[in-house]
Amino acid sequence: MTPKNNRKQRALVAKIKATQASTLMEVVDALLSDLSRMRRKQFLKNRCVTLRGVPTEQFDAPVKNGDEVRVYNIGFPAEFTSPYASIVWKDDELILLHKKRGIATVSNHPGLKNTLFRLVANYVKSYDPHEKIFLLNRLDSETEGLILFARSRETQQLILSSWRKFFIDQRFCAVVEGLFEKPEGELKGVVKNKSEVQTSSQKPLTRRSKTTYKVIKEGEYSTFVEIVLHGRFNGIRTLLKEENMPVVGENIPTAIFQNSKELLLQQASLTFIHPHTLRKMHFQLPIPASFQAFVKRPMTRGEKKRAMEQQPAIPPQYSRNKKEN
């Protein structure tokens, strides 16, 4: 079952071919003379007016003899510009963005207003005050990746209720501290003992989805790894910490690599089924060159010292790898 698109569709309200020189506001006044002056200005403000086929908000734009002016019920979007994100793809049902590091997807504490959700909501409302967006996935502030928004609640609920049917594949790349015992496997984190099992009066445990990994390249004591999220709930950073293999760049006192300027974790690709057309959609981001460069670089004396101080927490393959090198 595909969602119904209940969003208002763009339709032509009025058009005219100018017979004399004037300003755009004068032409709009003549075209929409039955509306109030404020309402006519609103059409311009919301980018509902095109001059020679180009949307414009400029009320005093010169109109020449023969120019065509059209007025629509819904405005045309301006270019989305932000240092924190860019639009990768969109249609009438979905909007996909490339989220940069440094901005939260949604507010996670009172007072946080600079979020990706707010940026996109303000953008769509700039040309259609009635449009809303609905979040489908999220990433931490420090993580770069792809964020998908639905443009109707019906589309959002359809995808969330059948997540595995629509979200086919979510892949991440990361550089982590340490070396895996096996070249691929599942990240399971810490198994809780009976004393740590949640009681009914406690907060619910964090929901997690199956998460697998595959080693791409090993360094002296770091690993470039591909991680696949097999469900909706992203707990990659927590799982890796519990495995004593945190992502390089984590702000933790036990970190061995303490000079990384960024978290070396990125969502590399996203594959999903479009809920309306049922087409498979695949989007991929380039892997930062800094990831592989970090794995190739030799450890500093301070990093080696911190690594040795953490024994026996450090897995035995570090000593084996050190001998091999």
Side-chain angles (χ1 to χ4, degrees):
M1 179 179 177
T2 57
K4 294 180 180 178
N5 185 356
N6 295 322
R7 294 173 57 248
K8 193 175 181 181
Q9 300 299 304
R10 184 177 291 110
L12 182 66
V13 174
K15 67 176 181 177
I16 191 173
K17 184 168 285 190
T19 57
Q20 61 183 22
S22 61
T23 65
L24 186 57
M25 190 71 241
E26 289 173 337
V27 174
V28 172
D29 284 340
L31 270 175
L32 307 176
S33 58
D34 55 329
L35 300 179
S36 68
R37 177 76 171 178
M38 182 178 295
R39 185 75 180 91
R40 295 196 292 266
K41 287 183 176 180
Q42 199 70 34
F43 273 96
L44 273 169
K45 181 181 177 181
N46 292 341
R47 295 176 58 85
C48 297
V49 179
T50 65
L51 173 60
R52 296 185 292 275
V54 180
T56 181
E57 306 168 51
Q58 187 180 346
F59 70 93
D60 59 349
V63 179
K64 301 176 182 177
N65 183 22
D67 285 348
E68 184 176 69
V69 176
R70 293 184 172 219
V71 180
Y72 294 86
N73 61 334
I74 295 177
F76 292 85
E79 183 181 357
F80 178 83
T81 56
S82 170
Y84 297 108
S86 59
I87 292 179
V88 176
W89 166 86
K90 66 176 180 175
D91 68 1
D92 288 340
E93 299 289 344
L94 303 165
I95 303 176
L96 181 70
L97 288 101
H98 174 193
K99 184 189 92 66
K100 310 293 179 61
R101 293 180 178 85
I103 187 169
T105 307
V106 292
S107 178
N108 52 15
H109 60 79
L112 180 61
K113 296 181 179 180
N114 186 29
T115 65
L116 185 66
F117 184 92
R118 182 53 48 202
L119 284 177
V120 180
N122 290 342
Y123 166 69
V124 298
K125 286 183 180 296
S126 69
Y127 60 88
D128 185 356
H130 303 291
E131 182 163 1
K132 297 180 180 180
I133 56 169
F134 302 87
L135 188 64
L136 287 168
N137 67 316
R138 66 181 67 186
L139 295 170
D140 295 333
S141 173
E142 301 92 341
T143 305
E144 182 178 2
L146 297 163
I147 298 293
L148 190 63
F149 290 96
R151 302 182 74 171
S152 71
R153 186 174 294 279
E154 291 80 8
T155 297
Q156 181 204 40
Q157 293 305 309
L158 175 66
I159 293 175
L160 294 183
S161 64
S162 303
W163 184 266
R164 292 187 178 181
K165 174 183 175 181
F166 292 105
F167 267 69
I168 303 301
D169 191 81
Q170 292 187 82
R171 292 179 185 263
F172 294 75
C173 58
V175 178
V176 302
E177 295 186 357
L179 305 168
F180 288 93
E181 292 183 3
K182 298 179 180 179
E184 55 185 273
E186 182 177 351
L187 297 174
K188 296 184 177 181
V190 174
V191 178
K192 293 185 175 293
N193 57 42
K194 290 183 179 179
S195 65
E196 297 175 303
V197 172
Q198 164 194 341
T199 65
S200 58
S201 61
Q202 293 175 321
K203 292 182 179 179
L205 296 173
T206 302
R207 291 176 288 182
R208 293 177 178 173
S209 299
K210 180 180 178 181
T211 307
T212 56
Y213 73 89
K214 181 179 180 181
V215 172
I216 304 301
K217 186 174 182 62
E218 288 185 338
E220 191 173 354
Y221 186 62
S222 62
T223 305
F224 178 38
V225 62
E226 179 186 70
I227 300 170
V228 181
L229 185 63
H230 297 266
R232 177 181 170 191
F233 304 107
N234 183 345
I236 292 173
R237 292 174 67 181
T238 301
L239 284 170
L240 287 167
K241 287 178 187 176
E242 292 177 358
E243 298 270 0
N244 291 320
M245 302 185 73
V247 177
V248 172
E250 290 281 14
N251 184 21
I252 53 177
T254 57
I256 292 169
F257 302 101
Q258 296 184 354
N259 296 321
S260 178
K261 296 181 180 179
E262 61 184 13
L263 186 75
L264 300 189
L265 172 66
Q266 175 184 286
Q267 185 180 20
S269 66
L270 176 63
T271 306
F272 62 90
I273 300 297
H274 193 288
H276 183 67
T277 65
L278 301 182
R279 287 179 54 201
K280 181 184 284 189
M281 313 292 291
H282 176 76
F283 298 92
Q284 188 167 342
L285 295 178
I287 297 173
S290 58
F291 282 37
Q292 295 222 36
F294 188 94
V295 174
K296 292 178 181 179
R297 77 168 182 79
M299 293 175 71
T300 66
R301 184 177 301 176
E303 290 165 352
K304 290 179 180 180
K305 181 181 179 181
R306 285 191 293 273
M308 298 307 296
E309 286 174 350
Q310 291 192 31
Q311 288 184 335
I314 289 179
Q317 63 265 35
Y318 170 62
S319 301
R320 182 203 70 223
N321 196 56
K322 187 176 180 183
K323 291 177 182 178
E324 291 174 354
N325 292 335

